[in-house]
Amino acid sequence: MNDSQLVRPLPVSGFPEWLPEIRMVEQRWLDVIRSGFERYGFCSVETPSVEPLSVLTAKGETSNEVYALRRLQEDADDTSDSRIGLHFDLTVPFARYTAQHFNELVFPFKRYQMQRVWRGERAQDGRFREFTQCDIDVINVDRLPLHFDAELPRMIHEVMTALDLPEWTLGINNRKVLQGFYEGLGIADPLAVIRAVDKLDKVGPEGVARLLSGELGLPARTVDSCLALARLRGEGPAVVDAVRDLGVTSDLLAEGLDELGYVLDSLGDLPAGAVVADLSIARGLDYYTGTVYEGKFTDWPDYGSICSGGRYENLTGSFIRRGLPGVGMSIGLTRIFAKLLAEGLLETGPKCPSQVLVVIPADERRRAAETTAAGLRRRGMNVELYHQADKVAKQLRYASRKGIPFVWFPPFEEGGNHEVKNLTTGEQTPADPAVWVPSPRWTSSEEVGQMVAVSMTKR
Amino acid sequence: MNDSQLVRPLPVSGFPEWLPEIRMVEQRWLDVIRSGFERYGFCSVETPSVEPLSVLTAKGETSNEVYALRRLQEDADDTSDSRIGLHFDLTVPFARYTAQHFNELVFPFKRYQMQRVWRGERAQDGRFREFTQCDIDVINVDRLPLHFDAELPRMIHEVMTALDLPEWTLGINNRKVLQGFYEGLGIADPLAVIRAVDKLDKVGPEGVARLLSGELGLPARTVDSCLALARLRGEGPAVVDAVRDLGVTSDLLAEGLDELGYVLDSLGDLPAGAVVADLSIARGLDYYTGTVYEGKFTDWPDYGSICSGGRYENLTGSFIRRGLPGVGMSIGLTRIFAKLLAEGLLETGPKCPSQVLVVIPADERRRAAETTAAGLRRRGMNVELYHQADKVAKQLRYASRKGIPFVWFPPFEEGGNHEVKNLTTGEQTPADPAVWVPSPRWTSSEEVGQMVAVSMTKR
């Protein structure tokens, strides 16, 4: 075969994949997150990777990011899948799911959803075309207690703590505070101001000032007030008083400040720096109506948000008449994971989950080695049997290269002794396969629950 | 809003989704399968959902099933994702992955991969457009020990046993036996005969006979011999002798019978009916070169294969010059799961993973209830806090509707007693939140490993 006939096995830009020793860490993260969500009784939901384009574009604005599907070889008789596309987030599918199964769900409906999503955007630092998000949402009929606006960030805090991430802070704001404040200033189109303030990270205060005075035609004093609000940031309910000190009033502002104060107060037991009120946070998406969240790494503020979310009054409005208010948060798993990997901050796992490699000393001892391996497996260990009788040095090298911590030597002759070698210490000792247990070197799935428990703040 | 403005939240044909109480069972299945694969030291790999079309169509034959992606709003400057499609199995991505990361992997490379795959085929009973497969493969450089041809079906047997499926049998054959037998009969194009015999299920023996005598022009006596071989079926190595008794000989046939005998002999300790040699199994895909597998439900033989696979010598041949023989098997998770669901054979879970609902007796006792819930969570339980002070009967009804087995009553006043109600028995007793443990009612992730261990045959 000529080289010219070979297909080059190249990665596709924006579609990450990991070597086994990294994939193992990603899977452990997913286990930790899942366990943390279930700890609060949230149930798992998965939706199809696709939705009808009518569902994906029900809100209109994100249509340019959608990957639509087409069959390479179209079947003219069967156009049943000609109008579908990959979901670009888990929020739209969740809204559709809730509306579709409305009569079969128990409300308040608390679900988590950990799936890949796809966006046809230009791949760049922290932006992927295929990535995994981990979402939690609570949605209820008619009215949703404010309690959940505090429970969700607590869950996210505990899960992220269990992942042992570099320092990060969850910023919290409330859209009613922003909108009520702008209304109190006599601004006719508060949403336009919210969208302008949302660009603060990108264009800076001067840029936002230009937008507000130029495009929106606001007077200088009003612009100053908007920027003064956006500058407020602080831990605990004191920041609520600081907003009040700006001297603007409206009913909506008062309501928003009550909500913001309640959420901050409820989270007061979290460690210093975990949660901060940040009045600059707007979250551009129009569907948020109350509390909004945005988490960022302390050391990489420009990397963008690593988790985000908020409260919405009418997410399912495109699908169902009934009012279904909810609050949700999303962890950008791939974005966080890829960043830590790039920064060299990820302690990668071994290349396989095996705890023990059982040596095959000689061909005639293969069945005995198989029996030993099977016995260890039945006792709950992950065990590889070396695949052929080979020099012991070669079998040891295989274990070492794959990061298998223990090598088991079944007796070289009938009735002989078992021995086990600890590759970390080099120690080799006699061992009884019926009672021996390995010292842990890597987190088993059983320990994940414990990691989550340890991450929980003592109250 | 008028009804006409609503988008109907309809399911897309061929793209299944489940209610939470069913999704919970699916997730448990995935955990059991993963745990079973890791028990043998196989590492997890996930690949992107897409591959370049050049990779997907490297073998040509399956191009009609591929969903290609197109961006709804094409960016003329950026065509970097214009030639990609969703993978239709996990074998092609695995071959590409192995070739691409060849220098970073340790061989023999043993991986499992549990992902969704997509096929643009007509949706029908047991056929989905999006479904989950669970694959295991071992691949090695130059030569792969026959040992693995027996290890893989053992793993699959143990995993399927842990899932407690209705009776099924794994049929095993060897392509060398078929090809060697046909060569021994003097047939010039054995692959054409294999493809014809592969249609046995669909067209019956008469149909195959017509294909062999008609299209392939084989003499009647040769056709009879081909059908006699395809009729052989039996447990244990005796069936190997039965093939020999047909009186056909060739070197390849002898080699194939040795391999088949070895695999059957190695699996001899599995329960009766678990594995059967079935000389009619051909597995149409051309890349299989040795052992082939095909599992079917005993009661629904026409439902098609629920797991399958085989040995291949040159799967990566499109991507790399080096010879990389392998053997792999795939569990059709969605196909099996959907069948049991449709037959009413799936014991669905509760609607959430919560073990305990903590009652909020009154608004002023909310913080105390929160502290109780947090304490139980730290001790490893999945706990929901009811979201507001409500009539106790309403809170109990919520627990009952969601299938939460225990309801916790924090003291109604400072210094009072905790009580817990078992909703299954109706019994309500005093309880200490620092030491109480729930009796299990649903399999926790910690117990999954144990289920897998129990499924393993005692050797």
Side-chain angles (χ1 to χ4, degrees):
Chain A
M1 189 183 274
N2 294 324
D3 259 354
S4 62
Q5 291 176 285
L6 292 181
V7 176
R8 290 189 68 193
L10 290 178
V12 183
S13 165
F15 291 81
E17 78 179 0
W18 317 120
L19 287 170
E21 56 269 35
I22 295 164
R23 164 65 195 147
M24 182 172 286
V25 184
E26 186 190 43
Q27 183 59 56
R28 190 179 52 159
W29 280 35
L30 290 165
D31 289 344
V32 166
I33 295 170
R34 163 153 67 115
S35 180
F37 292 166
E38 294 191 347
R39 198 50 61 89
Y40 281 76
F42 282 54
C43 70
S44 170
V45 161
E46 288 198 350
T47 59
S49 301
V50 307
E51 297 286 341
L53 293 180
S54 59
V55 168
L56 292 176
T57 59
K59 301 253 171 204
E61 53 211 286
T62 42
S63 58
N64 61 333
E65 299 176 349
V66 173
Y67 278 121
L69 303 193
R70 66 177 168 87
R71 276 188 284 171
L72 267 193
Q73 199 163 315
E74 291 286 356
D75 176 351
D77 294 345
D78 181 7
T79 56
S80 57
D81 56 4
S82 60
R83 296 291 295 163
I84 56 178
L86 296 170
H87 55 218
F88 53 82
D89 70 7
L90 302 176
T91 306
V92 171
F94 168 66
R96 192 266 313 147
Y97 182 95
T98 305
Q100 183 180 327
H101 303 291
F102 181 77
N103 291 319
E104 292 146 300
L105 302 175
V106 179
F107 291 89
F109 178 49
K110 312 175 185 180
R111 83 87 176 79
Y112 71 89
Q113 189 167 352
M114 302 165 63
Q115 282 186 253
R116 298 175 181 219
V117 304
W118 294 266
R119 292 183 191 174
E121 357 182 283
R122 208 174 278 264
Q124 50 177 294
D125 187 37
R127 300 256 171 205
F128 297 93
R129 289 175 169 171
E130 175 176 47
F131 53 102
T132 299
Q133 287 196 323
C134 307
D135 280 27
I136 44 176
D137 283 85
V138 187
I139 197 162
N140 201 19
V141 182
D142 301 332
R143 202 187 139 269
L144 182 75
L146 195 60
H147 159 70
F148 290 111
D149 294 48
E151 183 167 283
L152 264 57
R154 179 181 298 283
M155 290 169 66
I156 297 288
H157 168 80
E158 286 173 357
V159 156
M160 304 274 262
T161 303
L163 293 178
D164 198 21
L165 298 187
E167 193 179 298
W168 71 286
T169 294
L170 182 69
I172 302 191
N173 197 2
N174 191 301
R175 290 279 287 257
K176 289 178 188 169
V177 171
L178 298 182
Q179 191 163 344
F181 188 89
Y182 304 146
E183 284 176 12
L185 286 171
I187 293 171
D189 185 0
L191 278 182
V193 180
I194 286 176
R195 276 191 294 267
V197 171
D198 194 40
K199 301 202 168 82
L200 202 57
D201 272 357
K202 281 180 196 151
V203 301
E206 295 78 15
V208 171
R210 270 193 301 275
L211 283 172
L212 294 178
S213 57
E215 285 187 25
L216 301 182
L218 300 183
R221 204 164 148 246
T222 307
V223 171
D224 286 349
S225 291
C226 291
L227 289 173
L229 180 69
R231 267 194 299 272
L232 291 179
R233 188 185 150 90
E235 290 186 42
V239 77
V240 171
D241 295 329
V243 177
R244 291 203 178 97
D245 290 346
L246 293 178
V248 178
T249 56
S250 78
D251 288 349
L252 192 61
L253 175 60
E255 190 183 324
L257 287 174
D258 282 350
E259 292 185 5
L260 183 59
Y262 174 88
V263 171
L264 294 172
D265 186 48
S266 300
L267 297 172
D269 60 306
L270 295 187
V275 164
V276 63
D278 181 340
L279 278 297
S280 75
I281 294 173
R283 303 298 305 159
L285 292 170
D286 279 341
Y287 57 71
Y288 291 126
T289 52
T291 310
V292 283
Y293 313 98
E294 193 168 86
K296 288 187 177 182
F297 283 125
T298 307
D299 286 345
W300 309 295
D302 296 338
Y303 189 62
S305 67
I306 56 175
C307 64
S308 63
R311 174 178 273 256
Y312 41 82
E313 292 307 311
N314 198 26
L315 191 65
T316 55
S318 311
F319 310 115
I320 197 171
R321 279 158 174 276
R322 205 66 189 267
L324 296 176
V327 58
M329 292 186 77
S330 176
I331 298 176
L333 177 87
T334 304
R335 174 179 282 203
I336 299 172
F337 192 79
K339 181 63 176 172
L340 298 206
L341 191 62
E343 297 285 339
L345 293 173
L346 219 53
E347 193 193 339
T348 55
K351 288 177 185 291
C352 65
S354 310
Q355 296 160 292
V356 180
L357 175 76
V358 174
V359 158
I360 298 190
D363 260 331
E364 64 275 16
R365 302 296 299 155
R366 170 188 284 276
R367 281 293 160 100
E370 277 179 0
T371 304
T372 301
L376 295 173
R377 284 189 194 115
R378 262 199 311 277
R379 291 183 49 236
M381 284 167 244
N382 295 334
V383 179
E384 276 188 69
L385 180 67
Y386 196 74
H387 45 282
Q388 60 195 15
D390 235 331
K391 284 192 188 121
V392 166
K394 197 170 169 192
Q395 301 191 45
L396 278 170
R397 195 165 67 238
Y398 173 82
S400 169
R401 291 184 64 205
K402 287 189 77 172
I404 304 174
F406 295 96
V407 175
W408 192 281
F409 296 93
F412 280 46
E413 54 206 33
E414 192 71 37
N417 283 328
H418 291 264
E419 295 199 350
V420 64
K421 186 182 182 77
N422 180 330
L423 289 196
T424 315
T425 64
E427 196 184 14
Q428 185 166 334
T429 50
D432 179 350
V435 297
W436 179 84
V437 284
S439 49
R441 217 194 74 158
W442 186 254
T443 316
S444 69
S445 62
E446 290 90 71
E447 288 162 307
V448 161
Q450 210 187 332
M451 292 170 61
V452 170
V454 168
S455 78
M456 295 180 159
T457 322
K458 184 102 186 176
R459 283 197 277 189
Chain B
M1 189 182 273
N2 295 324
D3 259 354
S4 61
Q5 291 176 285
L6 293 181
V7 176
R8 291 189 69 191
L10 289 179
V12 183
S13 165
F15 291 80
E17 78 179 1
W18 316 120
L19 288 171
E21 57 269 35
I22 294 164
R23 164 65 195 148
M24 181 172 286
V25 184
E26 186 190 43
Q27 183 59 57
R28 190 179 52 157
W29 279 35
L30 289 165
D31 290 344
V32 166
I33 295 171
R34 163 153 68 112
S35 181
F37 291 166
E38 294 191 347
R39 198 51 60 89
Y40 281 76
F42 281 55
C43 70
S44 170
V45 161
E46 288 198 350
T47 59
S49 302
V50 307
E51 297 286 341
L53 294 181
S54 59
V55 168
L56 292 176
T57 58
K59 301 252 171 203
E61 53 212 286
T62 43
S63 58
N64 61 334
E65 298 176 350
V66 173
Y67 278 121
L69 302 193
R70 67 177 169 87
R71 276 187 283 172
L72 267 192
Q73 200 162 315
E74 291 285 358
D75 176 350
D77 294 346
D78 181 6
T79 56
S80 57
D81 56 4
S82 60
R83 296 290 297 162
I84 55 179
L86 295 170
H87 55 219
F88 53 82
D89 69 8
L90 302 176
T91 306
V92 171
F94 168 66
R96 192 267 312 146
Y97 182 96
T98 305
Q100 183 179 327
H101 303 293
F102 181 76
N103 291 320
E104 292 146 301
L105 302 175
V106 180
F107 291 89
F109 178 48
K110 312 175 185 181
R111 83 87 175 80
Y112 71 90
Q113 190 167 351
M114 301 164 63
Q115 282 185 254
R116 298 174 180 220
V117 304
W118 294 267
R119 292 184 191 174
E121 14 181 88
R122 207 175 278 264
Q124 51 177 294
D125 187 37
R127 301 256 172 205
F128 298 93
R129 289 174 170 173
E130 175 176 58
F131 54 101
T132 299
Q133 287 195 324
C134 307
D135 279 27
I136 43 176
D137 284 84
V138 187
I139 197 163
N140 201 20
V141 182
D142 300 333
R143 201 187 141 270
L144 181 75
L146 195 59
H147 159 69
F148 290 111
D149 294 49
E151 184 167 282
L152 265 57
R154 180 182 297 282
M155 291 170 67
I156 298 289
H157 168 80
E158 286 174 357
V159 157
M160 303 275 261
T161 303
L163 294 178
D164 198 21
L165 298 187
E167 194 179 299
W168 71 285
T169 294
L170 183 69
I172 302 190
N173 197 3
N174 191 301
R175 290 279 286 257
K176 289 179 189 169
V177 171
L178 298 183
Q179 192 164 343
F181 188 89
Y182 303 146
E183 284 177 12
L185 286 170
I187 294 170
D189 185 0
L191 278 182
V193 180
I194 286 176
R195 276 192 292 268
V197 171
D198 194 39
K199 300 202 171 80
L200 201 57
D201 271 357
K202 282 180 195 151
V203 300
E206 294 78 16
V208 172
R210 269 193 300 275
L211 283 171
L212 295 179
S213 56
E215 285 187 25
L216 301 182
L218 300 183
R221 205 166 148 243
T222 307
V223 171
D224 285 349
S225 290
C226 291
L227 289 174
L229 181 69
R231 266 194 300 272
L232 291 179
R233 187 185 151 92
E235 290 186 43
V239 77
V240 171
D241 295 328
V243 177
R244 291 203 178 98
D245 290 347
L246 293 177
V248 179
T249 57
S250 78
D251 288 350
L252 192 61
L253 175 60
E255 189 182 327
L257 287 175
D258 282 350
E259 291 184 6
L260 183 59
Y262 174 89
V263 171
L264 293 173
D265 185 47
S266 300
L267 297 172
D269 61 307
L270 295 186
V275 164
V276 62
D278 182 340
L279 278 297
S280 75
I281 293 173
R283 302 299 305 157
L285 293 169
D286 279 340
Y287 58 71
Y288 291 125
T289 52
T291 310
V292 283
Y293 313 98
E294 193 169 86
K296 288 188 176 181
F297 283 124
T298 307
D299 287 344
W300 309 295
D302 298 338
Y303 189 62
S305 68
I306 57 175
C307 64
S308 62
R311 175 178 272 256
Y312 40 82
E313 293 307 312
N314 198 27
L315 191 65
T316 55
S318 312
F319 310 116
I320 197 170
R321 280 159 175 276
R322 203 67 191 264
L324 296 176
V327 58
M329 292 187 77
S330 176
I331 298 176
L333 177 87
T334 305
R335 174 179 283 203
I336 298 172
F337 192 79
K339 182 63 175 173
L340 298 205
L341 191 63
E343 296 286 338
L345 293 172
L346 220 54
E347 193 192 341
T348 56
K351 286 176 186 292
C352 66
S354 309
Q355 296 160 292
V356 180
L357 175 77
V358 174
V359 158
I360 298 191
D363 260 331
E364 63 275 16
R365 302 297 299 154
R366 170 188 285 276
R367 281 293 160 101
E370 278 179 0
T371 304
T372 301
L376 294 174
R377 285 188 194 114
R378 262 199 310 278
R379 292 184 47 236
M381 283 168 246
N382 295 335
V383 178
E384 275 188 69
L385 180 67
Y386 196 74
H387 45 282
Q388 61 196 14
D390 235 332
K391 286 195 186 112
V392 166
K394 199 170 168 191
Q395 302 191 42
L396 280 170
R397 196 166 64 239
Y398 172 82
S400 169
R401 290 184 65 205
K402 287 189 77 171
I404 303 174
F406 295 96
V407 174
W408 192 280
F409 297 92
F412 280 47
E413 55 207 31
E414 193 70 38
N417 284 328
H418 292 264
E419 295 199 349
V420 64
K421 186 182 182 75
N422 180 329
L423 290 196
T424 316
T425 64
E427 197 184 13
Q428 185 166 335
T429 51
D432 179 351
V435 298
W436 179 83
V437 285
S439 50
R441 217 195 72 158
W442 186 253
T443 317
S444 69
S445 61
E446 291 89 71
E447 288 161 306
V448 161
Q450 210 186 330
M451 291 170 60
V452 170
V454 168
S455 78
M456 296 180 157
T457 320
K458 183 103 185 174
R459 282 197 277 191

